[in-house]
Amino acid sequence: MTTIPKKMRAIVCHAPRDYRLQDHAVPTPGPGEILLRTHTVGICASDLKCYLGAPLFWGDKHRAGYCQTPVIPGHEFVGEVLALGEGAGKKHGLSPGDQVVSEQIIPCQQCRYCRRGQYWMCQVHDIYGFRQAAFGAMAEYVLLPSNSLNYKVPTTVPAAHAAYIEPLACGIHAVQRGQIELDHVVVIAGTGPLGLGMVAAAKLKNPRLLIALDLDERRLAIAKACGADLVFNPSEVDVVDEVRKLTEGYGCDVYIEATGHPAAVVQGLHMICKLGTFVEFSVMREPVTVDWTIIGDTKELDVRGAHLSPHCYPIAIDMLAKGLLPMDQILTHRLPLEDFQHGIDLVAAGDRSIKVSLAP
Ligand SMILES: [Zn+2]
Ligand SMILES: [Zn+2]
């Protein structure tokens, strides 16, 4: 019988820019619940946006804030099963010692969306690291609630890589929303940790031409290793012009926006061909202003959103097991928990890191 300590070290979010390393009680797994010993937890761009006080998390005049404090952040994690609550082993098909990842959302299983199988749009929307019902993994231990969706990670995937399964799965879903065909020219704007996963996933769709855009040459080099045929830096060339030249003036068939920058939305609307598919993935810090005429009258575009990663975890695990991504280049920093602030600063600066994670 494993003995579970009473206290653990955890990062606790109290308010924007008020995140503290604290002692916290170790949760006890109840019926259907699982306790993991955290191995690695990624710092997501959304963690940074929450830290900086983005309205999505803290509310504005249109909406209530999503973040419920005090809360332990961290939704991109992998850990080892330490203890199983009553019936949890059978329910989740897991045993002590298994390496496990958990989908970021814990579906309520009762709302309209959950009952229709659209669980990633769950009305309650408990995501690890932001909600009282789902404390995250920036702690030595993390509790997987009874409704959590969990996957055993095969030993062919190194544990340090497995924390990347969540962002990769989100990238796969965005690519699936683009409905890429064999003769398509596909542009992925933004090659951060999410965009790089999108490049690798789009490559599996085998489009005619796969193009990645970023302002950072180092990231563009990794995008090539992920499968991009061509890479362009919008600060050096007119990328709309380049893509038009490559497509007899028509523009790209699919444009996936993963930069978080309003300018990349405008750029995409000009770069995309008539009847093209525009996939929006980013969480924007500010509202985006565009000419909506392009969407309707000029080009009759399909503009599609992408949120989370429904049914994509098994694909992400398979991609990592097959070694389809240069993980040594993507995972640039793995820091101890007490270096959380340094980690957030690295993600905010973005010039030295790709994926920053913590090892609690
Ligand atoms: Zn994330
Ligand atoms: Zn629900």
Side-chain angles (χ1 to χ4, degrees), residues 279-306:
V279 180
E280 180 53 66
F281 178 84
S282 297
V283 173
M284 297 285 171
R285 224 167 302 176
E286 62 247 57
V288 180
T289 304
V290 298
D291 180 359
W292 274 69
T293 319
I294 299 172
I295 297 167
D297 189 61
T298 315
K299 294 190 176 177
E300 194 176 318
L301 299 178
D302 275 332
V303 178
R304 317 187 84 195

PDB file of all heavy atoms in Angstrom, residues 279-306:
ATOM      1  N   VAL A 279      -9.603  28.565 -40.509  1.00  0.00           N
ATOM      2  CA  VAL A 279      -9.781  28.002 -39.163  1.00  0.00           C
ATOM      3  C   VAL A 279      -9.166  28.957 -38.147  1.00  0.00           C
ATOM      4  O   VAL A 279      -7.986  29.319 -38.255  1.00  0.00           O
ATOM      5  CB  VAL A 279      -9.123  26.606 -39.032  1.00  0.00           C
ATOM      6  CG1 VAL A 279      -9.327  26.058 -37.619  1.00  0.00           C
ATOM      7  CG2 VAL A 279      -9.703  25.638 -40.061  1.00  0.00           C
ATOM      8  N   GLU A 280      -9.974  29.369 -37.191  1.00  0.00           N
ATOM      9  CA  GLU A 280      -9.484  30.268 -36.130  1.00  0.00           C
ATOM     10  C   GLU A 280      -9.271  29.460 -34.857  1.00  0.00           C
ATOM     11  O   GLU A 280     -10.191  28.845 -34.345  1.00  0.00           O
ATOM     12  CB  GLU A 280     -10.492  31.391 -35.889  1.00  0.00           C
ATOM     13  CG  GLU A 280     -10.065  32.366 -34.810  1.00  0.00           C
ATOM     14  CD  GLU A 280      -8.675  32.934 -35.055  1.00  0.00           C
ATOM     15  OE1 GLU A 280      -8.489  33.649 -36.030  1.00  0.00           O
ATOM     16  OE2 GLU A 280      -7.753  32.636 -34.259  1.00  0.00           O
ATOM     17  N   PHE A 281      -8.032  29.486 -34.360  1.00  0.00           N
ATOM     18  CA  PHE A 281      -7.719  28.730 -33.147  1.00  0.00           C
ATOM     19  C   PHE A 281      -7.374  29.619 -31.956  1.00  0.00           C
ATOM     20  O   PHE A 281      -7.633  29.282 -30.812  1.00  0.00           O
ATOM     21  CB  PHE A 281      -6.533  27.778 -33.427  1.00  0.00           C
ATOM     22  CG  PHE A 281      -6.138  27.003 -32.209  1.00  0.00           C
ATOM     23  CD1 PHE A 281      -6.804  25.837 -31.872  1.00  0.00           C
ATOM     24  CD2 PHE A 281      -5.127  27.453 -31.375  1.00  0.00           C
ATOM     25  CE1 PHE A 281      -6.482  25.143 -30.726  1.00  0.00           C
ATOM     26  CE2 PHE A 281      -4.794  26.762 -30.221  1.00  0.00           C
ATOM     27  CZ  PHE A 281      -5.464  25.596 -29.895  1.00  0.00           C
ATOM     28  N   SER A 282      -6.795  30.798 -32.256  1.00  0.00           N
ATOM     29  CA  SER A 282      -6.174  31.606 -31.199  1.00  0.00           C
ATOM     30  C   SER A 282      -7.154  32.144 -30.163  1.00  0.00           C
ATOM     31  O   SER A 282      -8.320  32.369 -30.452  1.00  0.00           O
ATOM     32  CB  SER A 282      -5.471  32.810 -31.820  1.00  0.00           C
ATOM     33  OG  SER A 282      -4.432  32.403 -32.657  1.00  0.00           O
ATOM     34  N   VAL A 283      -6.606  32.378 -28.967  1.00  0.00           N
ATOM     35  CA  VAL A 283      -7.274  33.211 -27.966  1.00  0.00           C
ATOM     36  C   VAL A 283      -6.675  34.605 -28.139  1.00  0.00           C
ATOM     37  O   VAL A 283      -5.477  34.793 -27.971  1.00  0.00           O
ATOM     38  CB  VAL A 283      -6.998  32.694 -26.532  1.00  0.00           C
ATOM     39  CG1 VAL A 283      -7.548  33.659 -25.491  1.00  0.00           C
ATOM     40  CG2 VAL A 283      -7.615  31.315 -26.347  1.00  0.00           C
ATOM     41  N   MET A 284      -7.503  35.569 -28.547  1.00  0.00           N
ATOM     42  CA  MET A 284      -7.008  36.921 -28.824  1.00  0.00           C
ATOM     43  C   MET A 284      -7.024  37.774 -27.559  1.00  0.00           C
ATOM     44  O   MET A 284      -7.967  37.693 -26.772  1.00  0.00           O
ATOM     45  CB  MET A 284      -7.889  37.600 -29.880  1.00  0.00           C
ATOM     46  CG  MET A 284      -7.873  36.922 -31.221  1.00  0.00           C
ATOM     47  SD  MET A 284      -6.343  37.250 -32.104  1.00  0.00           S
ATOM     48  CE  MET A 284      -6.508  36.114 -33.500  1.00  0.00           C
ATOM     49  N   ARG A 285      -6.024  38.574 -27.413  1.00  0.00           N
ATOM     50  CA  ARG A 285      -5.963  39.473 -26.253  1.00  0.00           C
ATOM     51  C   ARG A 285      -6.929  40.654 -26.444  1.00  0.00           C
ATOM     52  O   ARG A 285      -7.479  41.169 -25.519  1.00  0.00           O
ATOM     53  CB  ARG A 285      -4.532  39.979 -26.049  1.00  0.00           C
ATOM     54  CG  ARG A 285      -4.096  39.946 -24.596  1.00  0.00           C
ATOM     55  CD  ARG A 285      -2.592  40.143 -24.474  1.00  0.00           C
ATOM     56  NE  ARG A 285      -1.845  39.134 -25.218  1.00  0.00           N
ATOM     57  CZ  ARG A 285      -0.529  39.110 -25.342  1.00  0.00           C
ATOM     58  NH1 ARG A 285       0.204  40.039 -24.767  1.00  0.00           N
ATOM     59  NH2 ARG A 285       0.079  38.168 -26.014  1.00  0.00           N
ATOM     60  N   GLU A 286      -7.096  41.063 -27.712  1.00  0.00           N
ATOM     61  CA  GLU A 286      -7.981  42.197 -27.992  1.00  0.00           C
ATOM     62  C   GLU A 286      -8.919  41.837 -29.153  1.00  0.00           C
ATOM     63  O   GLU A 286      -8.649  40.904 -29.883  1.00  0.00           O
ATOM     64  CB  GLU A 286      -7.170  43.447 -28.332  1.00  0.00           C
ATOM     65  CG  GLU A 286      -6.319  43.289 -29.567  1.00  0.00           C
ATOM     66  CD  GLU A 286      -4.822  43.302 -29.257  1.00  0.00           C
ATOM     67  OE1 GLU A 286      -4.356  42.490 -28.456  1.00  0.00           O
ATOM     68  OE2 GLU A 286      -4.142  44.139 -29.848  1.00  0.00           O
ATOM     69  N   PRO A 287     -10.033  42.572 -29.303  1.00  0.00           N
ATOM     70  CA  PRO A 287     -10.940  42.296 -30.430  1.00  0.00           C
ATOM     71  C   PRO A 287     -10.230  42.513 -31.765  1.00  0.00           C
ATOM     72  O   PRO A 287      -9.323  43.336 -31.865  1.00  0.00           O
ATOM     73  CB  PRO A 287     -12.058  43.325 -30.238  1.00  0.00           C
ATOM     74  CG  PRO A 287     -11.960  43.783 -28.826  1.00  0.00           C
ATOM     75  CD  PRO A 287     -10.521  43.677 -28.455  1.00  0.00           C
ATOM     76  N   VAL A 288     -10.652  41.763 -32.773  1.00  0.00           N
ATOM     77  CA  VAL A 288     -10.051  41.857 -34.105  1.00  0.00           C
ATOM     78  C   VAL A 288     -11.032  42.570 -35.032  1.00  0.00           C
ATOM     79  O   VAL A 288     -12.213  42.248 -35.046  1.00  0.00           O
ATOM     80  CB  VAL A 288      -9.755  40.443 -34.658  1.00  0.00           C
ATOM     81  CG1 VAL A 288      -9.120  40.529 -36.033  1.00  0.00           C
ATOM     82  CG2 VAL A 288      -8.864  39.669 -33.693  1.00  0.00           C
ATOM     83  N   THR A 289     -10.521  43.527 -35.802  1.00  0.00           N
ATOM     84  CA  THR A 289     -11.365  44.245 -36.759  1.00  0.00           C
ATOM     85  C   THR A 289     -10.977  43.840 -38.181  1.00  0.00           C
ATOM     86  O   THR A 289      -9.815  43.949 -38.557  1.00  0.00           O
ATOM     87  CB  THR A 289     -11.168  45.769 -36.588  1.00  0.00           C
ATOM     88  OG1 THR A 289     -11.449  46.092 -35.225  1.00  0.00           O
ATOM     89  CG2 THR A 289     -12.103  46.545 -37.491  1.00  0.00           C
ATOM     90  N   VAL A 290     -11.937  43.327 -38.932  1.00  0.00           N
ATOM     91  CA  VAL A 290     -11.684  42.945 -40.326  1.00  0.00           C
ATOM     92  C   VAL A 290     -12.859  43.393 -41.183  1.00  0.00           C
ATOM     93  O   VAL A 290     -13.928  43.719 -40.672  1.00  0.00           O
ATOM     94  CB  VAL A 290     -11.526  41.408 -40.497  1.00  0.00           C
ATOM     95  CG1 VAL A 290     -10.352  40.892 -39.716  1.00  0.00           C
ATOM     96  CG2 VAL A 290     -12.807  40.666 -40.106  1.00  0.00           C
ATOM     97  N   ASP A 291     -12.632  43.357 -42.503  1.00  0.00           N
ATOM     98  CA  ASP A 291     -13.710  43.646 -43.443  1.00  0.00           C
ATOM     99  C   ASP A 291     -14.510  42.358 -43.672  1.00  0.00           C
ATOM    100  O   ASP A 291     -14.074  41.469 -44.398  1.00  0.00           O
ATOM    101  CB  ASP A 291     -13.112  44.156 -44.754  1.00  0.00           C
ATOM    102  CG  ASP A 291     -14.200  44.468 -45.773  1.00  0.00           C
ATOM    103  OD1 ASP A 291     -15.388  44.274 -45.453  1.00  0.00           O
ATOM    104  OD2 ASP A 291     -13.845  44.901 -46.885  1.00  0.00           O
ATOM    105  N   TRP A 292     -15.677  42.266 -43.068  1.00  0.00           N
ATOM    106  CA  TRP A 292     -16.491  41.046 -43.157  1.00  0.00           C
ATOM    107  C   TRP A 292     -17.020  40.795 -44.571  1.00  0.00           C
ATOM    108  O   TRP A 292     -17.487  39.697 -44.871  1.00  0.00           O
ATOM    109  CB  TRP A 292     -17.647  41.103 -42.149  1.00  0.00           C
ATOM    110  CG  TRP A 292     -17.222  40.594 -40.813  1.00  0.00           C
ATOM    111  CD1 TRP A 292     -16.351  41.187 -39.960  1.00  0.00           C
ATOM    112  CD2 TRP A 292     -17.615  39.366 -40.184  1.00  0.00           C
ATOM    113  NE1 TRP A 292     -16.175  40.399 -38.841  1.00  0.00           N
ATOM    114  CE2 TRP A 292     -16.949  39.288 -38.951  1.00  0.00           C
ATOM    115  CE3 TRP A 292     -18.486  38.324 -40.559  1.00  0.00           C
ATOM    116  CZ2 TRP A 292     -17.102  38.211 -38.077  1.00  0.00           C
ATOM    117  CZ3 TRP A 292     -18.645  37.253 -39.679  1.00  0.00           C
ATOM    118  CH2 TRP A 292     -17.953  37.199 -38.459  1.00  0.00           C
ATOM    119  N   THR A 293     -16.963  41.792 -45.418  1.00  0.00           N
ATOM    120  CA  THR A 293     -17.404  41.622 -46.808  1.00  0.00           C
ATOM    121  C   THR A 293     -16.612  40.506 -47.485  1.00  0.00           C
ATOM    122  O   THR A 293     -17.139  39.778 -48.329  1.00  0.00           O
ATOM    123  CB  THR A 293     -17.188  42.945 -47.589  1.00  0.00           C
ATOM    124  OG1 THR A 293     -17.556  44.030 -46.743  1.00  0.00           O
ATOM    125  CG2 THR A 293     -17.981  42.970 -48.873  1.00  0.00           C
ATOM    126  N   ILE A 294     -15.330  40.378 -47.095  1.00  0.00           N
ATOM    127  CA  ILE A 294     -14.474  39.347 -47.708  1.00  0.00           C
ATOM    128  C   ILE A 294     -15.071  37.963 -47.448  1.00  0.00           C
ATOM    129  O   ILE A 294     -15.080  37.099 -48.314  1.00  0.00           O
ATOM    130  CB  ILE A 294     -13.037  39.425 -47.122  1.00  0.00           C
ATOM    131  CG1 ILE A 294     -12.412  40.787 -47.419  1.00  0.00           C
ATOM    132  CG2 ILE A 294     -12.174  38.295 -47.679  1.00  0.00           C
ATOM    133  CD1 ILE A 294     -11.078  41.011 -46.709  1.00  0.00           C
ATOM    134  N   ILE A 295     -15.595  37.762 -46.234  1.00  0.00           N
ATOM    135  CA  ILE A 295     -16.114  36.448 -45.839  1.00  0.00           C
ATOM    136  C   ILE A 295     -17.353  36.087 -46.664  1.00  0.00           C
ATOM    137  O   ILE A 295     -17.497  34.944 -47.110  1.00  0.00           O
ATOM    138  CB  ILE A 295     -16.443  36.439 -44.327  1.00  0.00           C
ATOM    139  CG1 ILE A 295     -15.166  36.655 -43.521  1.00  0.00           C
ATOM    140  CG2 ILE A 295     -17.125  35.130 -43.931  1.00  0.00           C
ATOM    141  CD1 ILE A 295     -15.405  36.964 -42.053  1.00  0.00           C
ATOM    142  N   GLY A 296     -18.214  37.061 -46.863  1.00  0.00           N
ATOM    143  CA  GLY A 296     -19.459  36.791 -47.566  1.00  0.00           C
ATOM    144  C   GLY A 296     -19.374  37.090 -49.051  1.00  0.00           C
ATOM    145  O   GLY A 296     -19.099  36.209 -49.863  1.00  0.00           O
ATOM    146  N   ASP A 297     -19.566  38.331 -49.390  1.00  0.00           N
ATOM    147  CA  ASP A 297     -19.730  38.728 -50.786  1.00  0.00           C
ATOM    148  C   ASP A 297     -18.513  38.443 -51.650  1.00  0.00           C
ATOM    149  O   ASP A 297     -18.630  37.994 -52.788  1.00  0.00           O
ATOM    150  CB  ASP A 297     -20.060  40.231 -50.848  1.00  0.00           C
ATOM    151  CG  ASP A 297     -20.452  40.649 -52.246  1.00  0.00           C
ATOM    152  OD1 ASP A 297     -21.463  40.112 -52.750  1.00  0.00           O
ATOM    153  OD2 ASP A 297     -19.739  41.473 -52.842  1.00  0.00           O
ATOM    154  N   THR A 298     -17.308  38.677 -51.124  1.00  0.00           N
ATOM    155  CA  THR A 298     -16.119  38.547 -51.975  1.00  0.00           C
ATOM    156  C   THR A 298     -15.691  37.089 -52.175  1.00  0.00           C
ATOM    157  O   THR A 298     -15.382  36.675 -53.277  1.00  0.00           O
ATOM    158  CB  THR A 298     -14.933  39.343 -51.370  1.00  0.00           C
ATOM    159  OG1 THR A 298     -15.401  40.616 -50.959  1.00  0.00           O
ATOM    160  CG2 THR A 298     -13.810  39.499 -52.370  1.00  0.00           C
ATOM    161  N   LYS A 299     -15.660  36.308 -51.097  1.00  0.00           N
ATOM    162  CA  LYS A 299     -15.031  34.980 -51.210  1.00  0.00           C
ATOM    163  C   LYS A 299     -15.902  33.791 -50.776  1.00  0.00           C
ATOM    164  O   LYS A 299     -15.501  32.646 -50.945  1.00  0.00           O
ATOM    165  CB  LYS A 299     -13.722  34.959 -50.388  1.00  0.00           C
ATOM    166  CG  LYS A 299     -12.636  35.886 -50.938  1.00  0.00           C
ATOM    167  CD  LYS A 299     -11.295  35.671 -50.254  1.00  0.00           C
ATOM    168  CE  LYS A 299     -10.213  36.528 -50.897  1.00  0.00           C
ATOM    169  NZ  LYS A 299      -8.918  36.386 -50.195  1.00  0.00           N
ATOM    170  N   GLU A 300     -17.027  34.051 -50.186  1.00  0.00           N
ATOM    171  CA  GLU A 300     -17.876  32.958 -49.672  1.00  0.00           C
ATOM    172  C   GLU A 300     -17.042  31.928 -48.903  1.00  0.00           C
ATOM    173  O   GLU A 300     -16.946  30.749 -49.254  1.00  0.00           O
ATOM    174  CB  GLU A 300     -18.670  32.278 -50.797  1.00  0.00           C
ATOM    175  CG  GLU A 300     -19.783  31.392 -50.237  1.00  0.00           C
ATOM    176  CD  GLU A 300     -20.660  30.760 -51.315  1.00  0.00           C
ATOM    177  OE1 GLU A 300     -21.000  31.442 -52.278  1.00  0.00           O
ATOM    178  OE2 GLU A 300     -20.994  29.570 -51.161  1.00  0.00           O
ATOM    179  N   LEU A 301     -16.413  32.406 -47.851  1.00  0.00           N
ATOM    180  CA  LEU A 301     -15.512  31.553 -47.067  1.00  0.00           C
ATOM    181  C   LEU A 301     -16.271  30.691 -46.058  1.00  0.00           C
ATOM    182  O   LEU A 301     -17.362  31.046 -45.614  1.00  0.00           O
ATOM    183  CB  LEU A 301     -14.519  32.427 -46.293  1.00  0.00           C
ATOM    184  CG  LEU A 301     -13.590  33.311 -47.114  1.00  0.00           C
ATOM    185  CD1 LEU A 301     -12.718  34.148 -46.179  1.00  0.00           C
ATOM    186  CD2 LEU A 301     -12.719  32.466 -48.045  1.00  0.00           C
ATOM    187  N   ASP A 302     -15.654  29.580 -45.701  1.00  0.00           N
ATOM    188  CA  ASP A 302     -16.059  28.842 -44.511  1.00  0.00           C
ATOM    189  C   ASP A 302     -15.133  29.282 -43.387  1.00  0.00           C
ATOM    190  O   ASP A 302     -13.934  29.021 -43.442  1.00  0.00           O
ATOM    191  CB  ASP A 302     -15.889  27.323 -44.719  1.00  0.00           C
ATOM    192  CG  ASP A 302     -17.092  26.710 -45.405  1.00  0.00           C
ATOM    193  OD1 ASP A 302     -18.195  27.260 -45.253  1.00  0.00           O
ATOM    194  OD2 ASP A 302     -16.917  25.695 -46.091  1.00  0.00           O
ATOM    195  N   VAL A 303     -15.675  29.955 -42.400  1.00  0.00           N
ATOM    196  CA  VAL A 303     -14.877  30.359 -41.240  1.00  0.00           C
ATOM    197  C   VAL A 303     -15.257  29.439 -40.092  1.00  0.00           C
ATOM    198  O   VAL A 303     -16.418  29.392 -39.684  1.00  0.00           O
ATOM    199  CB  VAL A 303     -15.140  31.832 -40.867  1.00  0.00           C
ATOM    200  CG1 VAL A 303     -14.331  32.225 -39.632  1.00  0.00           C
ATOM    201  CG2 VAL A 303     -14.778  32.744 -42.029  1.00  0.00           C
ATOM    202  N   ARG A 304     -14.290  28.679 -39.610  1.00  0.00           N
ATOM    203  CA  ARG A 304     -14.594  27.649 -38.617  1.00  0.00           C
ATOM    204  C   ARG A 304     -13.731  27.838 -37.373  1.00  0.00           C
ATOM    205  O   ARG A 304     -12.545  28.115 -37.458  1.00  0.00           O
ATOM    206  CB  ARG A 304     -14.328  26.260 -39.202  1.00  0.00           C
ATOM    207  CG  ARG A 304     -14.845  26.111 -40.624  1.00  0.00           C
ATOM    208  CD  ARG A 304     -14.731  24.688 -41.112  1.00  0.00           C
ATOM    209  NE  ARG A 304     -15.872  23.898 -40.677  1.00  0.00           N
ATOM    210  CZ  ARG A 304     -15.931  22.568 -40.704  1.00  0.00           C
ATOM    211  NH1 ARG A 304     -14.893  21.873 -41.098  1.00  0.00           N
ATOM    212  NH2 ARG A 304     -17.007  21.941 -40.305  1.00  0.00           N
ATOM    213  N   GLY A 305     -14.337  27.675 -36.229  1.00  0.00           N
ATOM    214  CA  GLY A 305     -13.593  27.729 -34.983  1.00  0.00           C
ATOM    215  C   GLY A 305     -12.980  26.386 -34.654  1.00  0.00           C
ATOM    216  O   GLY A 305     -13.307  25.368 -35.275  1.00  0.00           O
ATOM    217  N   ALA A 306     -12.056  26.376 -33.696  1.00  0.00           N
ATOM    218  CA  ALA A 306     -11.504  25.114 -33.191  1.00  0.00           C
ATOM    219  C   ALA A 306     -11.255  25.281 -31.703  1.00  0.00           C
ATOM    220  O   ALA A 306     -10.573  26.230 -31.283  1.00  0.00           O
ATOM    221  CB  ALA A 306     -10.217  24.754 -33.917  1.00  0.00           C
TER     222      ALA A 306
END
